[in-house]
Amino acid sequence: MSDQIKSVRGMPAILPGEVKKWQFVEAVAKNVLHAYSYNEIRTPVVERSELFQRTIGENTDIVAKEMYTFIDRNDQSLSLRPEATAGIIRAGIDQGFFYNQTQKLWSIGPMYRYERPQKGRYRQFHQINMEAFGFPGPDIDFEMILLTGRIWKALNLSPLQLELNSLGSPESRKEYKRQLQDYFHDHQKELDEDSLRRLDRNPLRILDSKNPDLQEIIESAPKMVDFLDQESNEHFEELMAMLQDHAIEYSLNTRLVRGLDYYTRTVFEWTTDQLGAQATVCGGGRYDALVAELGGKPTSAIGCAIGLERLIELVDVSGQNEQNNPSKIYIVAVGSKAEGERFLLAEELRDAYPNLSIEMNLNGGHFKQQFKRADKAGADIALILGDDEISKQTVGVKPMRSEGHQETVDRKELLSIIDQFL
Ligand code: ATP
Ligand code: MG
C-alpha cells in the first residue's frame, strides 16, 4: 500500500456533522447583513502579492511572516489572501463602484496565514467581512457595531465585550509613533526581542505584546487618545455618545492597535472570555486613506471581520439542528423491475417535494439489509418496491420513527398523500 497523503498543517476539513452548524451560523449572519442593507461580493482567493504588501503593510506580522506567497508560471508573485479588505477595494477601484456612491458590501470565505496552529488559530480559516464605503461620519461606525451585536444576539451568545480605540489621522499617528519610540527607547533595556524588533518600524505593535514582564512599561506608555487631532477626537466622542445613548456597553482600550497598518480613527474588537487566548471574535475599524492609497479617489471606509471558527466555537445549536433537518424518505427496492422503478419514483418525489431529502437504496441487498440502511440513514419513512408492488402498481409505506404499521398505497396516489406519513 502506498503512503497516505496527509492534510496541510493547520488546514482541517470541516466534516458533514460540523457543516450543519456552519450553515446555521452563516444563514443567521446573512439575514442580519441583509437587514442592514449589505450586498454580497465575491473576490478571488489569490491576488498579486503587491496588493497585500501595500495595504496591510510590509512591517506587519501578516506580510512579514504569515503570507502564502508563490511565483506562478508567468513569473508573477501571487499570494493567497490573508484577509478580504484589500481584494474588495481592488475590485471596487477596478470596477469604479466607489466613486460618488456609497456601498455596503459583505463577503465570506477562506483566508490563509502561516501561523502556529492551535485552538482558534489555523492556517486556513474563514471570515465574514463587511465593508462600508463613502460614509465619513461616526454613524456608520455605530451602525456596524449594532449590526455585529445583532448577530451575537441572533445566535444567542453570552455577551461579548466591545473594546474601542481611535488611531487618529495618519498625521497625528506619526507624531504619536515618534513619542512612543522615544518612550520605548528610554526603556530599551527592559524590552524583549520581539519588541526591540518592532521598535523602529512598528512601535505601536509593542502595545499589543502579551509578555507579562512588559505590562508595566506598556501601561505607562503615551496613549494615542491623547494625541488625536481635533477631527478624529470629535469623531470618536460622537461615536461614544451614540453608544452611551443606546446603552451599549464598551470599554476604551488604549492598547488596541490592530494588526494591519491601514487603520485610521475608530478601531474596535469584540472579545470573549470563553475561548482562552484566542479571545477576539471580530475586529475592524476605519481605513479612510486606503482607497486613495491604492489609486482610487479618496473614499471613506470602515470594515470588520468575524472569525468564523471562533464564532462557531461559541454557538450552541442544540435543538437547532433537528429543526433544520429536512424529512427523509428512503426507497427500498428489491427485484430488477423495482430497481428500475426506484429512479422514476425518486425523481417524481424530488420534483414534487424539493425540500425533502430522498435517498434510494444502492448496492443491492435483501429487504432486511435495505431496511437497516434506511434506519441508519435516519429515514422518517421507507417506501417499498418489490415484485408484488410492481405487479399491483402499489407502493408500501413504512414509518421508521414511530410504531405505525406498514401500509400499501396506490402508486398513482402516492405523491398526493405522502405528506400524511411525514
Ligand atoms: P489575532 O490577534 O487573534 O491574531 P488578528 O488581529 O490577526 O487576530 P484580524 O486580521 O483582525 O485578526 O482578523 C479578524 C478575525 O479573524 C480575528 O478576530 C479572528 O477571529 C479571526 N482570525 C484571524 N486570524 C485567524 C487564524 N489564524 N485562525 C482563525 N481565526 C483567525
Ligand atoms: Mg494575527
Side-chain angles (χ1 to χ4, degrees):
M1 222 168 58
S2 54
D3 281 341
Q4 196 186 323
I5 298 176
K6 296 208 178 70
S7 68
V8 178
R9 192 162 125 82
M11 300 198 185
I14 303 164
L15 301 175
E18 189 68 356
V19 162
K20 294 217 169 96
K21 201 167 168 182
W22 283 72
Q23 288 172 336
F24 167 70
V25 170
E26 288 167 15
V28 166
K30 283 175 196 179
N31 272 338
V32 174
L33 284 156
H34 288 142
Y36 286 79
S37 215
Y38 277 71
N39 295 310
E40 186 178 359
I41 180 169
R42 302 183 184 192
T43 61
V45 168
V46 177
E47 299 274 357
R48 290 170 191 258
S49 305
E50 188 195 354
L51 176 69
F52 302 117
Q53 286 154 1
R54 268 171 62 187
T55 54
I56 299 171
E58 297 274 8
N59 302 317
T60 59
D61 284 351
I62 295 180
V63 171
K65 49 188 197 197
E66 295 175 359
M67 276 219 296
Y68 280 89
T69 296
F70 60 96
I71 304 292
D72 79 356
R73 290 170 199 275
N74 197 24
D75 276 340
Q76 240 178 50
S77 177
L78 303 179
S79 296
L80 299 185
R81 64 180 179 196
E83 56 97 52
T85 303
I88 292 172
I89 295 185
R90 200 244 337 115
I93 296 171
D94 274 1
Q95 303 298 318
F97 60 56
F98 296 142
Y99 185 52
N100 258 345
Q101 326 177 26
T102 57
Q103 292 285 355
K104 287 175 163 183
L105 304 172
W106 71 272
S107 72
I108 184 170
M111 306 295 155
Y112 302 85
R113 296 184 194 176
Y114 194 85
E115 302 199 66
R116 193 169 67 79
Q118 53 199 288
K119 192 167 183 283
R121 194 176 291 287
Y122 307 92
R123 290 182 176 176
Q124 174 180 278
F125 61 99
H126 299 78
Q127 289 183 339
I128 289 181
N129 280 83
M130 61 211 83
E131 327 273 343
F133 298 94
F135 302 94
D139 38 5
I140 191 77
D141 307 16
F142 179 56
E143 193 188 64
M144 195 167 276
I145 288 168
L146 287 176
L147 188 170
T148 41
R150 187 176 286 271
I151 295 177
W152 319 146
K153 226 199 241 145
L155 290 171
N156 223 348
L157 304 191
S158 22
L160 298 183
Q161 283 76 51
L162 175 62
E163 299 185 13
L164 275 190
N165 194 16
S166 176
L167 299 178
S169 63
E171 297 75 42
S172 61
R173 188 148 87 234
K174 250 182 229 149
E175 175 55 26
Y176 174 58
K177 194 171 155 182
R178 267 195 293 274
Q179 297 281 337
L180 206 57
Q181 263 161 346
D182 287 350
Y183 172 83
F184 283 125
H185 267 296
D186 292 344
H187 292 82
Q188 204 162 353
K189 284 203 193 74
E190 299 146 75
L191 293 182
D192 60 10
E193 206 182 308
D194 240 11
S195 304
L196 283 171
R197 205 165 28 80
R198 288 170 167 158
L199 183 51
D200 283 323
R201 302 185 149 187
N202 205 349
L204 267 71
R205 289 291 278 174
I206 301 177
L207 301 177
D208 217 17
S209 166
K210 307 279 184 299
N211 184 346
D213 300 338
L214 297 186
Q215 298 313 305
E216 223 169 285
I217 319 171
I218 291 173
E219 250 354 285
S220 324
K223 296 182 172 34
M224 183 64 223
V225 281
D226 299 325
F227 289 81
L228 292 181
D229 52 292
Q230 196 191 334
E231 279 178 18
S232 295
N233 195 44
E234 280 167 14
H235 185 108
F236 199 39
E237 293 286 340
E238 276 178 54
L239 172 60
M240 290 190 287
M242 283 185 261
L243 289 163
Q244 275 146 25
D245 286 349
H246 289 77
I248 293 174
E249 279 180 44
Y250 66 91
S251 56
L252 198 59
N253 177 355
T254 54
R255 295 171 53 171
L256 183 64
V257 293
R258 315 270 310 122
L260 300 77
D261 274 355
Y262 57 55
Y263 287 106
T264 48
R265 294 196 176 168
T266 314
V267 287
F268 65 95
E269 285 188 355
W270 286 99
T271 60
T272 172
D273 50 18
Q274 290 171 42
L275 294 179
Q278 270 53 256
T280 306
V281 178
C282 170
R286 297 197 72 92
Y287 44 92
D288 294 317
L290 195 56
V291 177
E293 165 73 30
L294 282 176
K297 296 259 189 316
T299 305
S300 327
I302 179 171
C304 71
I306 300 172
L308 278 173
E309 279 78 3
R310 294 182 197 177
L311 178 62
I312 277 159
E313 194 73 32
L314 294 177
V315 175
D316 175 11
V317 284
S318 41
Q320 281 291 347
N321 273 347
E322 292 305 316
Q323 276 173 357
N324 288 342
N325 271 350
S327 300
K328 181 170 215 134
I329 296 175
Y330 192 100
I331 301 174
V332 164
V334 177
S336 60
K337 284 207 175 112
E339 284 191 353
E341 177 67 16
R342 73 194 153 146
F343 285 103
L344 292 175
L345 180 57
E347 290 302 307
E348 281 176 30
L349 285 165
R350 289 175 184 132
D351 284 340
Y353 300 93
N355 292 326
L356 293 182
S357 164
I358 316 291
E359 187 169 351
M360 70 173 90
N361 185 73
L362 302 170
N363 294 347
H366 319 301
F367 277 115
K368 203 172 161 200
Q369 278 174 312
Q370 297 198 20
F371 279 119
K372 247 193 195 157
R373 291 179 192 147
D375 188 48
K376 211 172 158 201
D380 296 286
I381 56 173
L383 298 182
I384 301 138
L385 295 173
D387 291 339
D388 220 28
E389 284 79 11
I390 295 294
S391 65
K392 292 184 183 142
Q393 301 214 6
T394 58
V395 180
V397 183
K398 184 179 157 80
M400 300 294 291
R401 312 248 144 242
S402 59
E403 290 302 303
H405 291 295
Q406 181 171 329
E407 289 182 42
T408 302
V409 296
D410 201 83
R411 170 76 170 84
K412 286 201 196 76
E413 274 170 35
L414 178 69
L415 284 190
S416 55
I417 59 167
I418 197 133
D419 289 29
Q420 296 167 20
F421 298 96
L422 291 167

